[in-house]
Amino acid sequence: MNTPGTIDRPLTHDPMKQAPMKPSTSEPTRSATSDLTTHGVTGSRQKNRTREMQLIPEALARAHMHERLQDAERERQAVRLATARRMQRRAERASLRARRALAMAVMQ
């Protein structure tokens, strides 16, 4: 939902003209932060928003690496399965050859 005035689409890109962020619900209602000036609160909130924005590429990279590791693990598992099936077929052929050889030895 991208309506104007949200974080995704602010009405303006000027931080001083944007609406202040909502106060934290974990803070007590009469905390030391309420004594700060409005400009100081807006600046600290903007700083927090900037810090969060700087951490987004790191989180994306972490998620990308997690996905790549899962892909690699699935690929290794597929290779192991293919190898196991190939070895099973080889063992079955060897078993058939041994049976034939035994049958031929018994017949003569």
Side-chain angles (χ1 to χ4, degrees):
M1 183 166 158
N2 292 333
T3 58
T6 63
I7 291 178
D8 292 335
R9 292 174 169 251
L11 290 173
T12 177
H13 291 286
D14 183 9
M16 299 312 288
K17 293 181 182 174
Q18 289 180 5
M21 293 175 65
K22 294 179 182 172
S24 172
T25 56
S26 63
E27 278 185 18
T29 53
R30 297 292 299 162
S31 65
T33 56
S34 63
D35 297 334
L36 295 174
T37 63
T38 305
H39 179 71
V41 170
T42 305
S44 68
R45 287 184 181 147
Q46 186 63 34
K47 201 179 290 185
N48 287 340
R49 185 183 294 178
T50 303
R51 187 175 301 126
E52 290 171 11
M53 295 295 284
Q54 287 174 345
L55 294 178
I56 287 174
E58 194 174 310
L60 285 173
R62 196 176 301 115
H64 182 68
M65 285 303 298
H66 181 68
E67 189 176 337
R68 296 277 307 269
L69 286 171
Q70 284 181 335
D71 288 345
E73 183 57 35
R74 280 192 294 266
E75 182 68 26
R76 282 192 293 270
Q77 190 174 3
V79 167
R80 284 194 302 264
L81 181 63
T83 303
R85 285 183 178 161
R86 190 168 45 247
M87 292 174 71
Q88 182 181 7
R89 286 193 300 267
R90 187 180 297 166
E92 288 171 356
R93 284 194 304 267
S95 173
L96 284 175
R97 280 196 303 272
R99 276 184 172 179
R100 279 193 211 115
L102 183 61
M104 293 295 285
V106 170
M107 295 287 282
Q108 290 180 0

